[in-house]
Amino acid sequence: MPSRADSPTHHQHLKLVILGRDGTLNRYRDDHVKSPDELDPLPGALEAVARLNQAGWHTVLATNQPGIGRGLLDMQAVNAVHKRLNQLLQAKGGRLDAAFFCPHTPEDGCSCRKPLPGLLEEISQRFDVSLEAVHMVGASLRDLQTAQAAGCVPHLVRGDRLAALTEAQLQEMLAQVPGARLHDDLAAFAEDLLAADADEEAREC
């Protein structure tokens, strides 16, 4: 796995968002993002992460990278892509606390490939946080199913990956995971989450 931030001993109250990568943070490519040059952030996505960070939310990446198992790229290439992603985030005042990825193909039968919850359970253990209060944001039904399997709060972004789907198709996807919420993009998700934060703080006053 790529670099992971050190965590304090107890993080049950850590405010954490788990992000999918392709189609959520950067433009989706059928042929995989194989190098930093192919990383194309979606409009407003980096700024959205920075807004979350500045409001006290930690952000962690969870992504399937079957291109490794298929020999299309190696661990070094994935690490280079994530290093570049963090550099771009830092320029906007944001960061990823860690990047977790599954390098396996569907045929490998691993427990870490989404929609199985292995990656998220690893994040839970690493950051010592209960997943029930963790938000997971992705751009596929698989991401929603992963959040459901792990007990996270599921969010779907339309982004570029789902832009061609009709409203009816999107609603059909959401209906497969009760409680899933739809946002136009990561910026809209961040806006909604921070607004909910503000409402909760107002109620506590």
Side-chain angles (χ1 to χ4, degrees):
M1 298 291 175
S3 59
R4 303 175 196 167
D6 289 333
S7 59
T9 319
H10 190 68
H11 261 161
Q12 291 305 320
H13 300 294
L14 185 78
K15 299 197 322 184
L16 181 64
V17 174
I18 298 175
L19 300 169
R21 196 189 77 180
D22 304 323
T24 302
L25 278 168
N26 54 277
R27 295 190 188 280
Y28 179 78
R29 293 175 62 108
D30 286 327
D31 61 344
H32 306 286
V33 177
K34 300 177 292 299
S35 71
D37 291 342
E38 294 181 349
L39 183 69
D40 186 7
L42 287 163
L46 302 179
E47 292 84 353
V49 174
R51 282 194 69 195
L52 291 170
N53 295 155
Q54 290 158 14
W57 287 89
H58 296 259
T59 48
V60 173
L61 202 64
T63 176
N64 287 348
Q65 293 299 316
I68 298 173
R70 294 184 180 125
L72 300 175
L73 63 160
D74 56 20
M75 295 280 195
Q76 185 175 357
V78 173
N79 287 336
V81 169
H82 291 161
K83 181 179 179 181
R84 176 60 177 157
L85 180 57
N86 248 327
Q87 288 172 341
L88 293 171
L89 279 166
Q90 287 167 6
K92 301 292 185 180
R95 70 184 184 283
L96 290 172
D97 286 52
F100 289 72
F101 60 86
C102 168
H104 306 109
T105 67
E107 297 74 31
D108 289 333
C110 68
S111 62
C112 58
R113 180 176 167 80
K114 299 184 292 184
L116 294 175
L119 274 188
L120 273 60
E121 289 169 351
E122 192 175 345
I123 291 169
S124 172
Q125 293 167 7
R126 182 67 183 84
F127 286 88
D128 189 23
V129 63
S130 171
L131 290 173
E132 63 186 14
V134 170
H135 296 264
M136 178 169 180
V137 191
S140 68
L141 176 59
R142 181 186 294 126
D143 286 320
L144 292 181
Q145 292 169 332
T146 307
Q148 183 182 46
C152 293
V153 183
H155 298 267
L156 184 70
V157 291
R158 193 189 310 257
D160 68 330
R161 189 172 184 178
L162 305 179
L165 295 187
T166 65
E167 192 63 31
Q169 288 172 319
L170 286 168
Q171 291 303 321
E172 183 179 342
M173 187 183 295
L174 291 167
Q176 296 184 54
V177 178
R181 309 168 196 181
L182 177 65
H183 311 269
D184 281 340
D185 52 23
L186 197 56
F189 161 77
E191 186 73 28
D192 289 348
L193 184 60
L194 297 182
D197 266 0
D199 288 345
E200 185 174 346
E201 288 176 8
R203 284 195 302 270
E204 291 174 354
C205 289

